[in-house]
Amino acid sequence: MRLQIASGGPGRGWYIWSMSLNAHESATLQRVFGFRTLRPAQAPVIEHVLRGGDAFVLMPTGGGKSLCYQFPAVVRPGMALVISPLIALMKDQVDGLRLQGIRAAFLNSTLEDVEEREVYEAVLAGTLDLLYIAPERLFAPGNALLEQLKQRPLSLIAIDEAHCVSQWGHDFRPHYLELRALKEHFPNAPMVALTATADRLTRDDILEQLQLHRAQTFISSFDRPNIHYAVAPKRGWKDGLWSFLEAQDGASGIIYCLSRRNTEDLAAELSASGFNAVAYHAGLTADERDRRQTAFIRDEVPIIVATIAFGMGIDKSNVRFVVHADLPKNLEGYYQETGRAGRDGEPSKALLFGGAGDFARLQPFCEVDGNEEQSSLLLTKLRRMVDFAESHACRRKILLNYFGEEAPDECGNCDNCLGERTVYDATVEAQKLLSAVARLPVPYGLGHVIDILRGSTASKIPESHRALSVFGVGKDLAKHAWMDIGKELIQRGYVDQELGRFPVLKLNARSWEVLRGQTRVELTQTEPRPGPTPSRKDTPEVEGHAELFERLRALRKELADARNVPAYVILPDNSLRELSAYRPQTEDDLYQITGFGEVKVRQFGHAFLEAITAACAELGLETEMPAGRKKPTPKPRKSSRGPAATVLKTLELWRENPSIEGIAQRRKLGERTVEQHLADAVEAGALAADELLPAHRLQPVVEAWRAAPKATRREIRDRVGESFSYFEINVARAHALRAVVPEG
Ligand code: ADP
Ligand code: ZN
């Protein structure tokens, strides 16, 4: 049987989908949910359910499963019943819906009696659009709910996390088996079963258990195009991690470690370096775990360093990165853990530190006592994981193929496709090092071998070693460079290192192949790399204004805290980015921003508009809302390699005639925009600050910035005095920032 594969996942090509929602439905999508279009994978499901059909939906995390039942629930008459096992998430989901003006409630064991009674009354009165419920609640003995539900039409029944019904799945919950009776109780309500994880066997079982004999199956691609995959060598991984985190600018992310101990140590080390990080593992008390998890979800602590115990049932959509400090044991785990990044479809990163060198360490985890078959299966899975880490081919292709999906040879959004993982031919270096090992009369450790190669003058080197032909042949490379090469040769199995008190080097069969020139050796470049190059898919649709974005993020947090909900429930990150890029000025403008439906405009519109107006005045920004009610055209992201084309154009005119007013007129831009372009040009190194400002205007502000690089522009202005314009403050900032960033 061929199943329907909907193309694209989150973040890819939503806007090209034209579908048969009627005018009223399209308006509802915009008014209530603030979405302009359905995603390609959602559209066929929603159409089918709107027409009353049963559906089985297999969609990756972040694919947008919720809308598949929430939208029909709002459009179809009657109340929708949503079965979910994740009690902890129900409240957030319901809060989120209510913030959109949707009448939602939940029933689970956390409710007080009074609250529960209110919900029952609402059910009877027919004033709810959606009711979330835990399965054990629905079928509790002596419970009249089922009978009450039959009094009124149900718009649909949604079974979230549907794999819980199957014993073949990884999260079987016996109460889910009772859901079998639902089809008999409510034969007329369409049923939607949704899950992100189900293999073939589990899939068939779900259909059988839920009696979904006539359901249409919708499987979307498991590709997560907005996730950038990268692997970095384990050696020097801390340097790599630190520079990676610095580039994340305080965004939310998860770092996975293998052991509880490691999570504690790493979190402590990160905190000591000024990162805001906490550890999370099963050894903490339930209260402590809860507290830390909530702090993470509420954006109070951006970085959580966790064992894989963390993440099950976490519904945080703006996780921007997932780092694996240790190699996961299999690709299933890797996919699931990295999948916690970027559920909102925004560019996100998955970075793994590890490779072949981790194999030996993980091997014991694959041994299941007395079960050889199981052990060898686990070992095979570990090998595939190592292959993934070591591969020079497209990571996405390997992942998707592993899960039985076709994929193009290059995705354009992983380290290998983007050429970020610089490998170089190290055959000559390897031969030098291995021949030193071969020539030494007895085995020595790496340090001594390197001393020989570099022709060390240290007195501990025996005279006989100085006489070797390899003595000093490696003078051209620094000691640490040889260390890196040596360690990687060991990791990759080109030479053996004896375990034990004296980790001496011994040649093996592969060493001899290298020495005889039968094998080329490729090693990875170890220079810390700059952040991954932005690529087509790595690029958000719009590039927001960084400082304004930060302010809006702070405002969102305030609004969320006041309502005791997670920040992303108020608005997703991409809404903030659009706000900071287009700087809407009126409520009408706001409707053009993703995520702003009617109720959110009413509730939060004023607060955001006010913040934007204030920031525009202070930062010297203007609105960039295009005329008309169409979606703003995406602006290209500023490339890190150079200034944007529009900045270059301004710069070109500046060189012809340095008049801001003149350029503004010629380019039909605001003077503020031209000034911003010039400041951008300074920041990009295309223009010197002293070409714009005389030294006596520039110097005092540059000094103020250097003294307080984290200050706001207003604070700087308070220091240097009102006579300085924000343009001067911006240029000085660009100059000061530039001067501390290394060239290149
Ligand atoms: P899943 O349950 O499949 O993991 P969600 O339902 O939580 O995914 O949706 C993930 C994110 O995508 C949410 O932030 C949601 O607001 C956003 N989203 C869903 N559908 C759309 C859409 N049609 N347009 C824009 N954003 C969407
Ligand atoms: Zn790729």
Side-chain angles (χ1 to χ4, degrees), residues 230-297:
V231 180
K234 185 72 187 219
R235 78 191 131 74
W237 70 277
K238 279 198 183 154
D239 289 344
L241 177 62
W242 259 240
S243 48
F244 175 81
L245 292 178
E246 264 153 30
Q248 299 308 308
D249 246 352
S252 251
I254 309 173
I255 303 173
Y256 283 110
C257 298
L258 203 55
S259 73
R260 295 176 186 185
R261 182 65 201 283
N262 292 356
T263 65
E264 298 274 358
D265 293 350
L266 186 56
E269 241 179 288
L270 286 169
S271 304
S273 319
F275 292 107
N276 190 356
V278 295
Y280 182 104
H281 55 73
L284 299 166
T285 63
D287 270 0
E288 191 54 30
R289 280 206 308 266
D290 233 40
R291 214 176 52 73
R292 295 184 183 189
Q293 174 168 325
T294 308
F296 177 66
I297 290 177

Side-chain angles (χ1 to χ4, degrees), residues 159 161-167 171-173 176-180 202 205-207 209-210:
I159 318 280
E161 312 290 338
H163 56 274
C164 293
V165 77
S166 171
Q167 317 214 25
D171 192 16
F172 173 60
R173 309 205 177 202
Y176 257 62
L177 285 179
E178 300 175 41
L179 300 179
R180 187 179 185 86
T202 317
D205 199 30
I206 293 171
L207 295 176
Q209 295 300 336
L210 295 175

Side-chain angles (χ1 to χ4, degrees), residues 10 14 29 35-39 42 59-67 160 315 317 343-345 572 574 594:
W14 315 334
L29 183 66
F35 296 151
R36 261 171 240 104
T37 50
L38 296 175
R39 292 178 178 168
Q42 292 169 329
M59 207 184 258
T61 306
K65 283 185 286 299
S66 325
L67 198 70
D160 209 0
D315 187 14
S317 67
R343 295 179 60 153
D344 53 10
N574 51 342
T594 301

Side-chain angles (χ1 to χ4, degrees), residues 394-396 410-414 417:
C394 173
R395 310 262 182 221
R396 193 177 311 276
E410 289 197 6
C411 74
N413 195 21
C414 73
C417 285

Side-chain angles (χ1 to χ4, degrees), residues 599-647:
V599 177
K600 289 210 173 155
V601 169
R602 223 184 307 129
Q603 280 201 42
F604 308 122
H606 182 66
F608 280 102
L609 289 176
E610 208 175 59
I612 291 168
T613 312
C616 282
E618 193 184 326
L619 304 174
L621 301 170
E622 283 168 5
T623 182
E624 302 247 348
M625 288 305 290
R629 279 191 58 89
K630 63 176 176 25
K631 184 179 179 219
T633 31
K635 286 204 311 180
R637 183 192 173 95
K638 254 188 272 165
S639 155
S640 61
R641 294 204 199 99
T646 179
V647 171

